[in-house]
Amino acid sequence: MPLISKKVQKEIIVIIGGPGTGKTTIIDALVNNGYCCYPEISREVTIEAKKQGIEQLFLEKPLLFSELLLEGRKKQFANAQKETHDVVFLDRGIPDVLAYMHYIGDSYPAFFDLACKEHTYSKIFILPPWEEIYISDEARYENYEQAKLIYNHLIETYENYGYNLIEVPKDTVENRIHFILNAVLK
C-alpha cells in the first residue's frame, strides 16, 4: 500500500496597513531572511504614469489607477500560487484597492468585488498607524490623519470579506517579524 503524503496548503499571506506603518520595511526584512515576498506595486504604477505625463494618477484618474492595481495584484496572486515556497508574503492585497476607493468615496465596477471573492488569502496581518515612524514622500501624499482613516477603511473592507485581521504590535522590525512568523508557522 503506497504512502499517502499530506499535501501542504500554500500560504499566501498579506501584510496591510495605512501608509507609513512599516509594511515595506517588514517585507524587505523578510526577503533578507530568505522568505518569498512580493512588493507593493502602487509605486510602479505611479512611476509608469509619470512617464506618460500623469503626475499623480491616483488623484487624477483614481478608477484607472485602481484598475491597474487590481490587475497587478491579481497577477501577483496567480504568481504566488505557482511559487515553490510554501509561504508567500504580499505587501497589500486585492481588497486594499477597494478600501482606497471607499476612502476617496469613489465607486467601482462589480468586477472589483468579484476579484476579492475569487482571490482569497491565508492570513492577513495589519499594521496599526504609528505616528513616530510615519514619513510622507512623493508617492505617499496622505498626511497622518488621512493614514488613520485609510487604516479604518482597510479593517472594514477586509472584515467585509470575512477575514480575521491579526494586528502586528508596534515594535522593532525584528520583533514584528518574529510575531508574524510565530503566527504563520504555528
Side-chain angles (χ1 to χ4, degrees):
M1 183 172 190
L3 290 174
I4 299 173
S5 64
K6 183 181 172 193
K7 184 174 179 354
V8 176
Q9 172 96 14
K10 172 82 65 187
E11 295 270 349
I12 301 177
I13 298 165
V14 181
I15 299 175
I16 66 170
T21 56
K23 292 177 305 303
T24 302
T25 301
I26 288 173
I27 290 288
D28 291 346
L30 286 166
V31 167
N32 290 337
N33 283 293
Y35 289 92
C36 180
C37 302
Y38 285 50
E40 162 63 282
I41 59 170
S42 64
R43 288 181 189 258
E44 293 172 28
V45 171
T46 301
I47 290 168
E48 190 57 39
K50 283 184 178 183
K51 289 179 186 174
Q52 297 174 20
I54 303 170
E55 192 54 36
Q56 189 50 270
L57 184 59
F58 178 68
L59 295 176
E60 295 176 36
K61 297 181 179 182
L63 186 57
L64 174 59
F65 178 80
S66 297
E67 287 174 353
L68 294 171
L69 281 184
L70 181 69
E71 289 309 309
R73 291 200 179 126
K74 284 169 50 178
K75 189 175 186 179
Q76 281 186 330
F77 184 90
N79 290 339
Q81 288 186 311
K82 297 174 192 168
E83 287 288 346
T84 58
H85 302 270
D86 293 336
V87 177
V88 179
F89 292 95
L90 305 178
D91 186 342
R92 296 199 180 277
I94 293 170
D96 282 65
V97 177
L98 280 70
Y100 273 80
M101 295 298 283
H102 297 158
Y103 164 69
I104 64 170
D106 214 346
S107 59
Y108 45 84
F111 68 85
F112 278 59
D113 177 60
L114 188 60
C116 291
K117 292 175 180 172
E118 291 177 339
H119 302 81
T120 57
Y121 304 102
S122 308
K123 286 186 175 63
I124 309 294
F125 290 93
I126 187 163
L127 307 180
W130 191 355
E131 193 166 15
E132 290 77 16
I133 68 167
Y134 183 84
I135 298 170
S136 61
D137 61 24
E138 72 283 346
R140 182 183 300 135
Y141 63 87
E142 305 92 351
N143 63 36
Y144 182 70
E145 291 305 313
Q146 291 169 318
K148 290 193 305 188
L149 291 172
I150 291 168
Y151 170 79
N152 292 332
H153 283 285
L154 287 165
I155 290 172
E156 182 180 337
T157 302
Y158 274 88
E159 286 179 347
N160 283 343
Y161 287 102
Y163 290 105
N164 294 316
L165 305 178
I166 304 166
E167 185 170 303
V168 179
K170 297 174 185 175
D171 206 334
T172 64
V173 174
E174 295 77 19
N175 287 344
R176 291 177 117 187
I177 289 172
H178 184 73
F179 176 87
I180 291 168
L181 293 177
N182 275 343
V184 169
L185 303 176
K186 67 175 176 178

